[in-house]
Amino acid sequence: MNIIIFGAPGSGKGTQSDLIVTKYNLTHLSTGDLLRKEIADNTELGKTIYQYISQGQLVPDKMIIDILAKKLDELKTVETDGTILDGFPRTLQQAEALEKLLAQNGTQTDILIDLHVDEQELITRLLKRGETSGRSDDNIETIKKRLDVYHSQTCPVSDYYKKLGKFVEILGMGTIDDIFGRISKAIDAKL
Ligand code: AP5
Ligand code: MG
């Protein structure tokens, strides 16, 4: 099973992914985590990536698609029941590339879960996390840029999956457990 967990910055993609991987025996693939690892390792690629992330901008499609393709290839040998994609795809070009890569492996995306959270709540959560996260993008100026990028570049991805009949919107407000309950119901309906 391949699940995309989708939603604005701070909507709870990472938090819910942790719960989903345990319950459904999936591998968590977070492009944000992969990029931050590259920065932490201080690679040449990491230096370039930092310029984008710290400005709240998306890294170029070609760069992230190459990174994701390599990771999906590595995961072929991992014995789980599928993958949860967190933070990818974020543009239409990435969505098309993902479905092409999955098709090459004889698979496809089964469901896109869109976590819907009010904008003020997103900002509150990210500012709170920013007190301890050390993330270069958890400050009010960059949070606003990330939200703009989400609306202009990432939202169109939901229409792509709506057309494929794979889009499910979930209310991402309330307790973490309540939200996980709603997500589990949506996944179980697809199993
Ligand atoms: P990425 O790491 O994907 O960040 P993001 O999408 O901005 O989202 P976050 O990780 O900030 O939030 P989340 O939805 O995971 O929420 P979380 O569970 O942490 O991307 C970072 C950057 O990398 C991008 O801006 C871009 O530059 C680059 N990038 C990544 N992927 C890319 C791609 N595909 N293409 C190009 N560039 C890419 O929750 C947030 C906080 O809220 C936490 O503190 C959590 O504890 C708290 N929380 C969670 N649930 C609740 C709840 N129910 N109630 C109260 N608090 C809650
Ligand atoms: Mg995250």
Side-chain angles (χ1 to χ4, degrees):
M1 167 163 253
N2 297 305
I3 300 174
I4 297 171
I5 187 112
F6 192 78
S11 57
K13 300 184 294 294
T15 304
Q16 295 297 332
S17 291
D18 289 343
L19 301 172
I20 296 167
V21 291
T22 309
K23 179 164 179 183
Y24 295 95
N25 187 35
L26 303 177
T27 306
H28 183 197
L29 205 171
S30 155
T31 45
D33 288 349
L34 289 178
L35 296 172
R36 281 184 290 274
K37 165 97 175 43
E38 207 65 51
I39 294 172
D41 290 348
N42 211 15
T43 61
E44 279 308 309
L45 184 59
K47 286 176 196 157
T48 307
I49 290 168
Y50 180 81
Q51 304 301 323
Y52 291 99
I53 289 200
S54 60
Q55 293 301 312
Q57 299 300 322
L58 299 182
V59 307
D61 281 335
K62 174 155 181 7
M63 190 184 285
I64 192 74
I65 290 167
D66 285 350
I67 292 171
L68 182 99
K70 196 167 150 236
K71 196 71 194 170
L72 280 179
D73 210 41
E74 283 169 25
L75 290 180
K76 277 187 195 161
T77 55
V78 178
E79 296 264 329
T80 54
D81 294 331
T83 308
I84 178 149
L85 286 147
D86 160 5
F88 191 99
R90 260 175 148 100
T91 63
L92 273 178
Q93 204 188 331
Q94 291 180 23
E96 285 162 2
L98 173 66
E99 295 312 317
K100 214 167 150 187
L101 284 166
L102 292 176
Q104 282 164 10
N105 296 340
T107 171
Q108 59 177 347
T109 295
D110 296 289
I111 181 173
L112 178 146
I113 294 167
D114 180 27
L115 291 174
H116 190 83
V117 176
D118 292 351
E119 190 137 322
Q120 192 48 53
E121 167 78 6
L122 295 170
I123 294 171
T124 303
R125 286 184 190 177
L126 293 174
L127 285 177
K128 184 156 179 259
R129 188 180 65 189
E131 292 167 11
T132 53
S133 69
R135 270 178 62 162
S136 62
D137 55 353
D138 277 349
N139 57 76
I140 189 65
E141 196 193 332
T142 315
I143 289 167
K144 287 194 170 152
K145 283 193 208 156
R146 287 158 69 195
L147 289 169
D148 285 346
V149 166
Y150 173 73
H151 289 299
S152 61
Q153 297 184 52
T154 304
C155 274
V157 170
S158 55
D159 290 329
Y160 178 90
Y161 285 95
K162 271 179 199 163
K163 283 187 194 135
L164 294 175
K166 300 192 169 160
F167 175 91
V168 178
E169 184 174 306
I170 300 275
L171 178 64
M173 313 266 292
T175 69
I176 289 168
D177 283 351
D178 283 348
I179 299 161
F180 183 55
R182 288 175 209 133
I183 291 175
S184 295
K185 264 193 197 162
I187 295 174
D188 292 345
K190 285 274 172 186
L191 285 176

mmCIF file of all heavy atoms in Angstrom, residues 124-167:
data_model
loop_
_atom_site.group_PDB
_atom_site.id
_atom_site.type_symbol
_atom_site.label_atom_id
_atom_site.label_comp_id
_atom_site.label_asym_id
_atom_site.label_seq_id
_atom_site.Cartn_x
_atom_site.Cartn_y
_atom_site.Cartn_z
ATOM 1 N N THR A 124 0.311 28.743 14.925
ATOM 2 C CA THR A 124 0.521 28.535 16.366
ATOM 3 C C THR A 124 1.388 27.299 16.599
ATOM 4 O O THR A 124 2.347 27.328 17.380
ATOM 5 C CB THR A 124 -0.846 28.351 17.077
ATOM 6 O OG1 THR A 124 -1.638 29.497 16.795
ATOM 7 C CG2 THR A 124 -0.685 28.193 18.580
ATOM 8 N N ARG A 125 1.057 26.187 15.910
ATOM 9 C CA ARG A 125 1.817 24.940 16.093
ATOM 10 C C ARG A 125 3.288 25.111 15.690
ATOM 11 O O ARG A 125 4.194 24.672 16.393
ATOM 12 C CB ARG A 125 1.229 23.823 15.217
ATOM 13 C CG ARG A 125 -0.080 23.269 15.706
ATOM 14 C CD ARG A 125 -0.484 22.114 14.792
ATOM 15 N NE ARG A 125 -1.841 21.653 15.030
ATOM 16 C CZ ARG A 125 -2.433 20.700 14.324
ATOM 17 N NH1 ARG A 125 -1.783 20.133 13.315
ATOM 18 N NH2 ARG A 125 -3.657 20.309 14.589
ATOM 19 N N LEU A 126 3.496 25.769 14.529
ATOM 20 C CA LEU A 126 4.876 25.875 14.025
ATOM 21 C C LEU A 126 5.716 26.820 14.878
ATOM 22 O O LEU A 126 6.904 26.559 15.107
ATOM 23 C CB LEU A 126 4.872 26.315 12.555
ATOM 24 C CG LEU A 126 4.293 25.268 11.589
ATOM 25 C CD1 LEU A 126 4.187 25.830 10.171
ATOM 26 C CD2 LEU A 126 5.142 23.996 11.583
ATOM 27 N N LEU A 127 5.094 27.896 15.365
ATOM 28 C CA LEU A 127 5.852 28.818 16.234
ATOM 29 C C LEU A 127 6.222 28.115 17.532
ATOM 30 O O LEU A 127 7.332 28.278 18.045
ATOM 31 C CB LEU A 127 5.033 30.083 16.517
ATOM 32 C CG LEU A 127 4.950 31.084 15.362
ATOM 33 C CD1 LEU A 127 4.051 32.254 15.735
ATOM 34 C CD2 LEU A 127 6.342 31.587 14.955
ATOM 35 N N LYS A 128 5.289 27.305 18.035
ATOM 36 C CA LYS A 128 5.564 26.564 19.282
ATOM 37 C C LYS A 128 6.712 25.587 19.043
ATOM 38 O O LYS A 128 7.655 25.492 19.825
ATOM 39 C CB LYS A 128 4.299 25.842 19.738
ATOM 40 C CG LYS A 128 4.448 25.122 21.056
ATOM 41 C CD LYS A 128 3.099 24.939 21.751
ATOM 42 C CE LYS A 128 3.262 24.201 23.060
ATOM 43 N NZ LYS A 128 2.902 22.781 22.985
ATOM 44 N N ARG A 129 6.635 24.850 17.919
ATOM 45 C CA ARG A 129 7.709 23.901 17.625
ATOM 46 C C ARG A 129 9.036 24.636 17.459
ATOM 47 O O ARG A 129 10.095 24.152 17.843
ATOM 48 C CB ARG A 129 7.382 23.092 16.364
ATOM 49 C CG ARG A 129 8.380 21.963 16.148
ATOM 50 C CD ARG A 129 8.079 21.154 14.907
ATOM 51 N NE ARG A 129 8.223 21.969 13.725
ATOM 52 C CZ ARG A 129 7.848 21.576 12.510
ATOM 53 N NH1 ARG A 129 7.301 20.395 12.329
ATOM 54 N NH2 ARG A 129 8.022 22.372 11.473
ATOM 55 N N GLY A 130 8.970 25.833 16.856
ATOM 56 C CA GLY A 130 10.175 26.622 16.605
ATOM 57 C C GLY A 130 10.954 26.966 17.867
ATOM 58 O O GLY A 130 12.159 27.244 17.798
ATOM 59 N N GLU A 131 10.270 26.930 19.014
ATOM 60 C CA GLU A 131 10.984 27.245 20.279
ATOM 61 C C GLU A 131 12.059 26.211 20.571
ATOM 62 O O GLU A 131 13.041 26.492 21.249
ATOM 63 C CB GLU A 131 9.980 27.292 21.453
ATOM 64 C CG GLU A 131 9.024 28.473 21.362
ATOM 65 C CD GLU A 131 7.848 28.355 22.337
ATOM 66 O OE1 GLU A 131 7.883 27.471 23.226
ATOM 67 O OE2 GLU A 131 6.895 29.146 22.196
ATOM 68 N N THR A 132 11.876 24.987 20.044
ATOM 69 C CA THR A 132 12.842 23.919 20.355
ATOM 70 C C THR A 132 13.387 23.172 19.138
ATOM 71 O O THR A 132 14.371 22.451 19.253
ATOM 72 C CB THR A 132 12.183 22.845 21.271
ATOM 73 O OG1 THR A 132 10.979 22.412 20.634
ATOM 74 C CG2 THR A 132 11.884 23.381 22.649
ATOM 75 N N SER A 133 12.758 23.328 17.948
ATOM 76 C CA SER A 133 13.106 22.444 16.820
ATOM 77 C C SER A 133 14.482 22.720 16.223
ATOM 78 O O SER A 133 15.100 21.824 15.658
ATOM 79 C CB SER A 133 12.063 22.568 15.702
ATOM 80 O OG SER A 133 12.143 23.851 15.098
ATOM 81 N N GLY A 134 14.921 23.976 16.290
ATOM 82 C CA GLY A 134 16.170 24.333 15.616
ATOM 83 C C GLY A 134 16.008 24.365 14.095
ATOM 84 O O GLY A 134 16.990 24.540 13.373
ATOM 85 N N ARG A 135 14.790 24.212 13.584
ATOM 86 C CA ARG A 135 14.580 24.260 12.128
ATOM 87 C C ARG A 135 14.670 25.690 11.629
ATOM 88 O O ARG A 135 14.043 26.592 12.185
ATOM 89 C CB ARG A 135 13.212 23.640 11.773
ATOM 90 C CG ARG A 135 13.299 22.151 11.513
ATOM 91 C CD ARG A 135 11.954 21.525 11.213
ATOM 92 N NE ARG A 135 11.299 22.032 10.007
ATOM 93 C CZ ARG A 135 10.313 21.400 9.387
ATOM 94 N NH1 ARG A 135 9.881 20.218 9.838
ATOM 95 N NH2 ARG A 135 9.759 21.920 8.331
ATOM 96 N N SER A 136 15.460 25.891 10.555
ATOM 97 C CA SER A 136 15.706 27.245 10.055
ATOM 98 C C SER A 136 14.433 27.870 9.468
ATOM 99 O O SER A 136 14.391 29.065 9.209
ATOM 100 C CB SER A 136 16.790 27.206 8.971
ATOM 101 O OG SER A 136 16.336 26.423 7.874
ATOM 102 N N ASP A 137 13.393 27.038 9.245
ATOM 103 C CA ASP A 137 12.169 27.569 8.622
ATOM 104 C C ASP A 137 11.016 27.735 9.614
ATOM 105 O O ASP A 137 9.919 28.099 9.220
ATOM 106 C CB ASP A 137 11.737 26.689 7.437
ATOM 107 C CG ASP A 137 11.547 25.215 7.804
ATOM 108 O OD1 ASP A 137 11.869 24.824 8.950
ATOM 109 O OD2 ASP A 137 11.079 24.454 6.933
ATOM 110 N N ASP A 138 11.270 27.484 10.908
ATOM 111 C CA ASP A 138 10.205 27.645 11.914
ATOM 112 C C ASP A 138 10.244 29.031 12.548
ATOM 113 O O ASP A 138 10.373 29.176 13.771
ATOM 114 C CB ASP A 138 10.331 26.556 13.008
ATOM 115 C CG ASP A 138 9.692 25.233 12.597
ATOM 116 O OD1 ASP A 138 8.967 25.199 11.576
ATOM 117 O OD2 ASP A 138 9.908 24.236 13.313
ATOM 118 N N ASN A 139 10.179 30.083 11.740
ATOM 119 C CA ASN A 139 10.047 31.450 12.263
ATOM 120 C C ASN A 139 8.944 32.120 11.459
ATOM 121 O O ASN A 139 8.651 31.696 10.339
ATOM 122 C CB ASN A 139 11.372 32.218 12.129
ATOM 123 C CG ASN A 139 11.834 32.251 10.691
ATOM 124 O OD1 ASN A 139 11.307 32.996 9.870
ATOM 125 N ND2 ASN A 139 12.804 31.400 10.339
ATOM 126 N N ILE A 140 8.328 33.145 12.024
ATOM 127 C CA ILE A 140 7.088 33.667 11.441
ATOM 128 C C ILE A 140 7.245 34.096 9.978
ATOM 129 O O ILE A 140 6.386 33.817 9.145
ATOM 130 C CB ILE A 140 6.452 34.802 12.308
ATOM 131 C CG1 ILE A 140 5.063 35.168 11.805
ATOM 132 C CG2 ILE A 140 7.347 36.004 12.436
ATOM 133 C CD1 ILE A 140 4.019 34.085 11.931
ATOM 134 N N GLU A 141 8.372 34.724 9.656
ATOM 135 C CA GLU A 141 8.557 35.210 8.280
ATOM 136 C C GLU A 141 8.572 34.024 7.296
ATOM 137 O O GLU A 141 7.903 34.051 6.260
ATOM 138 C CB GLU A 141 9.890 35.975 8.224
ATOM 139 C CG GLU A 141 10.050 36.853 7.023
ATOM 140 C CD GLU A 141 11.514 37.316 6.882
ATOM 141 O OE1 GLU A 141 12.204 37.406 7.927
ATOM 142 O OE2 GLU A 141 11.936 37.545 5.769
ATOM 143 N N THR A 142 9.350 32.998 7.648
ATOM 144 C CA THR A 142 9.481 31.844 6.746
ATOM 145 C C THR A 142 8.215 30.985 6.753
ATOM 146 O O THR A 142 7.847 30.427 5.715
ATOM 147 C CB THR A 142 10.729 31.006 7.123
ATOM 148 O OG1 THR A 142 11.814 31.901 7.350
ATOM 149 C CG2 THR A 142 11.107 30.039 6.026
ATOM 150 N N ILE A 143 7.540 30.918 7.892
ATOM 151 C CA ILE A 143 6.277 30.157 7.950
ATOM 152 C C ILE A 143 5.290 30.759 6.945
ATOM 153 O O ILE A 143 4.623 30.036 6.193
ATOM 154 C CB ILE A 143 5.684 30.177 9.385
ATOM 155 C CG1 ILE A 143 6.542 29.323 10.325
ATOM 156 C CG2 ILE A 143 4.233 29.699 9.386
ATOM 157 C CD1 ILE A 143 6.249 29.512 11.814
ATOM 158 N N LYS A 144 5.207 32.088 6.895
ATOM 159 C CA LYS A 144 4.270 32.739 5.964
ATOM 160 C C LYS A 144 4.641 32.419 4.516
ATOM 161 O O LYS A 144 3.776 32.186 3.682
ATOM 162 C CB LYS A 144 4.232 34.244 6.211
ATOM 163 C CG LYS A 144 3.493 34.541 7.511
ATOM 164 C CD LYS A 144 3.120 35.995 7.659
ATOM 165 C CE LYS A 144 2.170 36.149 8.845
ATOM 166 N NZ LYS A 144 2.258 37.452 9.472
ATOM 167 N N LYS A 145 5.943 32.400 4.232
ATOM 168 C CA LYS A 145 6.376 32.056 2.861
ATOM 169 C C LYS A 145 5.998 30.612 2.552
ATOM 170 O O LYS A 145 5.553 30.288 1.449
ATOM 171 C CB LYS A 145 7.897 32.222 2.723
ATOM 172 C CG LYS A 145 8.337 33.665 2.588
ATOM 173 C CD LYS A 145 9.797 33.698 2.135
ATOM 174 C CE LYS A 145 10.486 34.947 2.622
ATOM 175 N NZ LYS A 145 11.935 34.814 2.739
ATOM 176 N N ARG A 146 6.219 29.704 3.520
ATOM 177 C CA ARG A 146 5.889 28.282 3.301
ATOM 178 C C ARG A 146 4.399 28.123 3.017
ATOM 179 O O ARG A 146 4.007 27.315 2.167
ATOM 180 C CB ARG A 146 6.274 27.445 4.533
ATOM 181 C CG ARG A 146 7.787 27.266 4.682
ATOM 182 C CD ARG A 146 8.173 26.927 6.109
ATOM 183 N NE ARG A 146 7.743 25.611 6.546
ATOM 184 C CZ ARG A 146 7.729 25.238 7.824
ATOM 185 N NH1 ARG A 146 8.117 26.078 8.784
ATOM 186 N NH2 ARG A 146 7.337 24.033 8.147
ATOM 187 N N LEU A 147 3.569 28.889 3.730
ATOM 188 C CA LEU A 147 2.119 28.784 3.505
ATOM 189 C C LEU A 147 1.755 29.306 2.112
ATOM 190 O O LEU A 147 0.935 28.703 1.417
ATOM 191 C CB LEU A 147 1.356 29.544 4.597
ATOM 192 C CG LEU A 147 1.401 28.882 5.976
ATOM 193 C CD1 LEU A 147 0.851 29.814 7.059
ATOM 194 C CD2 LEU A 147 0.612 27.562 5.983
ATOM 195 N N ASP A 148 2.401 30.398 1.675
ATOM 196 C CA ASP A 148 2.144 30.926 0.325
ATOM 197 C C ASP A 148 2.525 29.898 -0.734
ATOM 198 O O ASP A 148 1.787 29.665 -1.695
ATOM 199 C CB ASP A 148 2.978 32.206 0.065
ATOM 200 C CG ASP A 148 2.390 33.402 0.801
ATOM 201 O OD1 ASP A 148 1.238 33.294 1.270
ATOM 202 O OD2 ASP A 148 3.099 34.421 0.917
ATOM 203 N N VAL A 149 3.701 29.284 -0.545
ATOM 204 C CA VAL A 149 4.173 28.275 -1.506
ATOM 205 C C VAL A 149 3.209 27.085 -1.530
ATOM 206 O O VAL A 149 2.888 26.546 -2.586
ATOM 207 C CB VAL A 149 5.614 27.814 -1.142
ATOM 208 C CG1 VAL A 149 6.003 26.552 -1.886
ATOM 209 C CG2 VAL A 149 6.612 28.929 -1.424
ATOM 210 N N TYR A 150 2.731 26.715 -0.348
ATOM 211 C CA TYR A 150 1.775 25.595 -0.273
ATOM 212 C C TYR A 150 0.537 25.912 -1.118
ATOM 213 O O TYR A 150 0.106 25.088 -1.931
ATOM 214 C CB TYR A 150 1.380 25.329 1.189
ATOM 215 C CG TYR A 150 0.286 24.308 1.298
ATOM 216 C CD1 TYR A 150 0.542 22.954 1.072
ATOM 217 C CD2 TYR A 150 -1.028 24.688 1.581
ATOM 218 C CE1 TYR A 150 -0.473 22.011 1.125
ATOM 219 C CE2 TYR A 150 -2.039 23.746 1.642
ATOM 220 C CZ TYR A 150 -1.764 22.419 1.416
ATOM 221 O OH TYR A 150 -2.775 21.488 1.458
ATOM 222 N N HIS A 151 -0.016 27.115 -0.945
ATOM 223 C CA HIS A 151 -1.239 27.452 -1.677
ATOM 224 C C HIS A 151 -0.989 27.560 -3.176
ATOM 225 O O HIS A 151 -1.787 27.077 -3.969
ATOM 226 C CB HIS A 151 -1.848 28.755 -1.137
ATOM 227 C CG HIS A 151 -2.434 28.569 0.234
ATOM 228 N ND1 HIS A 151 -3.466 27.695 0.479
ATOM 229 C CD2 HIS A 151 -2.101 29.096 1.437
ATOM 230 C CE1 HIS A 151 -3.754 27.699 1.772
ATOM 231 N NE2 HIS A 151 -2.932 28.530 2.380
ATOM 232 N N SER A 152 0.118 28.176 -3.568
ATOM 233 C CA SER A 152 0.322 28.418 -5.003
ATOM 234 C C SER A 152 0.870 27.199 -5.744
ATOM 235 O O SER A 152 0.463 26.925 -6.868
ATOM 236 C CB SER A 152 1.247 29.628 -5.211
ATOM 237 O OG SER A 152 2.502 29.371 -4.620
ATOM 238 N N GLN A 153 1.784 26.445 -5.124
ATOM 239 C CA GLN A 153 2.455 25.369 -5.885
ATOM 240 C C GLN A 153 1.996 23.967 -5.512
ATOM 241 O O GLN A 153 2.021 23.058 -6.339
ATOM 242 C CB GLN A 153 3.971 25.461 -5.672
ATOM 243 C CG GLN A 153 4.555 26.773 -6.201
ATOM 244 C CD GLN A 153 6.083 26.790 -6.068
ATOM 245 O OE1 GLN A 153 6.767 25.884 -6.493
ATOM 246 N NE2 GLN A 153 6.595 27.832 -5.468
ATOM 247 N N THR A 154 1.592 23.776 -4.252
ATOM 248 C CA THR A 154 1.315 22.408 -3.788
ATOM 249 C C THR A 154 -0.165 22.037 -3.863
ATOM 250 O O THR A 154 -0.493 20.902 -4.226
ATOM 251 C CB THR A 154 1.866 22.227 -2.355
ATOM 252 O OG1 THR A 154 3.266 22.550 -2.384
ATOM 253 C CG2 THR A 154 1.699 20.816 -1.862
ATOM 254 N N CYS A 155 -1.057 22.984 -3.567
ATOM 255 C CA CYS A 155 -2.491 22.658 -3.593
ATOM 256 C C CYS A 155 -2.956 21.997 -4.900
ATOM 257 O O CYS A 155 -3.779 21.080 -4.852
ATOM 258 C CB CYS A 155 -3.337 23.896 -3.297
ATOM 259 S SG CYS A 155 -3.541 24.139 -1.528
ATOM 260 N N PRO A 156 -2.451 22.429 -6.075
ATOM 261 C CA PRO A 156 -2.909 21.783 -7.319
ATOM 262 C C PRO A 156 -2.714 20.262 -7.350
ATOM 263 O O PRO A 156 -3.404 19.564 -8.090
ATOM 264 C CB PRO A 156 -2.053 22.457 -8.408
ATOM 265 C CG PRO A 156 -1.700 23.788 -7.837
ATOM 266 C CD PRO A 156 -1.553 23.580 -6.356
ATOM 267 N N VAL A 157 -1.807 19.756 -6.530
ATOM 268 C CA VAL A 157 -1.583 18.299 -6.483
ATOM 269 C C VAL A 157 -2.864 17.586 -6.034
ATOM 270 O O VAL A 157 -3.156 16.472 -6.475
ATOM 271 C CB VAL A 157 -0.409 17.961 -5.521
ATOM 272 C CG1 VAL A 157 -0.310 16.476 -5.261
ATOM 273 C CG2 VAL A 157 0.906 18.497 -6.086
ATOM 274 N N SER A 158 -3.656 18.256 -5.174
ATOM 275 C CA SER A 158 -4.872 17.585 -4.690
ATOM 276 C C SER A 158 -5.847 17.339 -5.840
ATOM 277 O O SER A 158 -6.499 16.297 -5.889
ATOM 278 C CB SER A 158 -5.519 18.343 -3.531
ATOM 279 O OG SER A 158 -5.774 19.658 -3.892
ATOM 280 N N ASP A 159 -5.937 18.279 -6.783
ATOM 281 C CA ASP A 159 -6.843 18.079 -7.937
ATOM 282 C C ASP A 159 -6.413 16.876 -8.777
ATOM 283 O O ASP A 159 -7.249 16.139 -9.289
ATOM 284 C CB ASP A 159 -6.853 19.329 -8.829
ATOM 285 C CG ASP A 159 -7.563 20.478 -8.144
ATOM 286 O OD1 ASP A 159 -8.487 20.209 -7.352
ATOM 287 O OD2 ASP A 159 -7.176 21.631 -8.377
ATOM 288 N N TYR A 160 -5.101 16.707 -8.896
ATOM 289 C CA TYR A 160 -4.567 15.577 -9.669
ATOM 290 C C TYR A 160 -5.082 14.256 -9.076
ATOM 291 O O TYR A 160 -5.530 13.372 -9.798
ATOM 292 C CB TYR A 160 -3.030 15.651 -9.635
ATOM 293 C CG TYR A 160 -2.297 14.533 -10.344
ATOM 294 C CD1 TYR A 160 -1.964 14.641 -11.699
ATOM 295 C CD2 TYR A 160 -1.921 13.381 -9.661
ATOM 296 C CE1 TYR A 160 -1.286 13.619 -12.342
ATOM 297 C CE2 TYR A 160 -1.239 12.355 -10.303
ATOM 298 C CZ TYR A 160 -0.922 12.482 -11.641
ATOM 299 O OH TYR A 160 -0.245 11.469 -12.269
ATOM 300 N N TYR A 161 -5.026 14.146 -7.740
ATOM 301 C CA TYR A 161 -5.469 12.892 -7.102
ATOM 302 C C TYR A 161 -6.990 12.806 -6.980
ATOM 303 O O TYR A 161 -7.541 11.708 -6.934
ATOM 304 C CB TYR A 161 -4.756 12.699 -5.753
ATOM 305 C CG TYR A 161 -3.313 12.267 -5.990
ATOM 306 C CD1 TYR A 161 -2.283 13.202 -6.016
ATOM 307 C CD2 TYR A 161 -3.010 10.951 -6.288
ATOM 308 C CE1 TYR A 161 -0.978 12.830 -6.294
ATOM 309 C CE2 TYR A 161 -1.705 10.562 -6.569
ATOM 310 C CZ TYR A 161 -0.698 11.505 -6.571
ATOM 311 O OH TYR A 161 0.588 11.129 -6.864
ATOM 312 N N LYS A 162 -7.663 13.968 -6.963
ATOM 313 C CA LYS A 162 -9.143 13.951 -7.004
ATOM 314 C C LYS A 162 -9.596 13.311 -8.302
ATOM 315 O O LYS A 162 -10.497 12.472 -8.317
ATOM 316 C CB LYS A 162 -9.691 15.383 -6.928
ATOM 317 C CG LYS A 162 -9.917 15.865 -5.512
ATOM 318 C CD LYS A 162 -10.439 17.305 -5.493
ATOM 319 C CE LYS A 162 -10.203 17.895 -4.117
ATOM 320 N NZ LYS A 162 -10.278 19.341 -4.075
ATOM 321 N N LYS A 163 -8.941 13.701 -9.399
ATOM 322 C CA LYS A 163 -9.327 13.144 -10.715
ATOM 323 C C LYS A 163 -9.106 11.641 -10.757
ATOM 324 O O LYS A 163 -9.797 10.916 -11.457
ATOM 325 C CB LYS A 163 -8.533 13.840 -11.830
ATOM 326 C CG LYS A 163 -9.061 15.209 -12.139
ATOM 327 C CD LYS A 163 -8.374 15.814 -13.360
ATOM 328 C CE LYS A 163 -8.689 17.313 -13.432
ATOM 329 N NZ LYS A 163 -7.510 18.125 -13.728
ATOM 330 N N LEU A 164 -8.110 11.160 -10.014
ATOM 331 C CA LEU A 164 -7.831 9.715 -9.981
ATOM 332 C C LEU A 164 -8.738 8.987 -8.969
ATOM 333 O O LEU A 164 -8.659 7.766 -8.837
ATOM 334 C CB LEU A 164 -6.362 9.464 -9.599
ATOM 335 C CG LEU A 164 -5.286 9.940 -10.586
ATOM 336 C CD1 LEU A 164 -3.890 9.722 -9.998
ATOM 337 C CD2 LEU A 164 -5.406 9.201 -11.918
ATOM 338 N N GLY A 165 -9.571 9.762 -8.250
ATOM 339 C CA GLY A 165 -10.477 9.165 -7.250
ATOM 340 C C GLY A 165 -9.751 8.666 -6.006
ATOM 341 O O GLY A 165 -10.218 7.763 -5.322
ATOM 342 N N LYS A 166 -8.597 9.290 -5.706
ATOM 343 C CA LYS A 166 -7.798 8.799 -4.574
ATOM 344 C C LYS A 166 -7.668 9.809 -3.440
ATOM 345 O O LYS A 166 -6.911 9.610 -2.501
ATOM 346 C CB LYS A 166 -6.399 8.446 -5.077
ATOM 347 C CG LYS A 166 -6.517 7.378 -6.129
ATOM 348 C CD LYS A 166 -5.265 6.745 -6.508
ATOM 349 C CE LYS A 166 -5.598 5.537 -7.350
ATOM 350 N NZ LYS A 166 -4.468 5.117 -8.145
ATOM 351 N N PHE A 167 -8.401 10.894 -3.544
ATOM 352 C CA PHE A 167 -8.263 12.007 -2.596
ATOM 353 C C PHE A 167 -9.259 11.861 -1.443
ATOM 354 O O PHE A 167 -10.449 11.657 -1.675
ATOM 355 C CB PHE A 167 -8.533 13.311 -3.350
ATOM 356 C CG PHE A 167 -8.534 14.531 -2.496
ATOM 357 C CD1 PHE A 167 -7.376 15.256 -2.290
ATOM 358 C CD2 PHE A 167 -9.711 14.972 -1.891
ATOM 359 C CE1 PHE A 167 -7.377 16.396 -1.505
ATOM 360 C CE2 PHE A 167 -9.723 16.115 -1.107
ATOM 361 C CZ PHE A 167 -8.555 16.823 -0.921
#
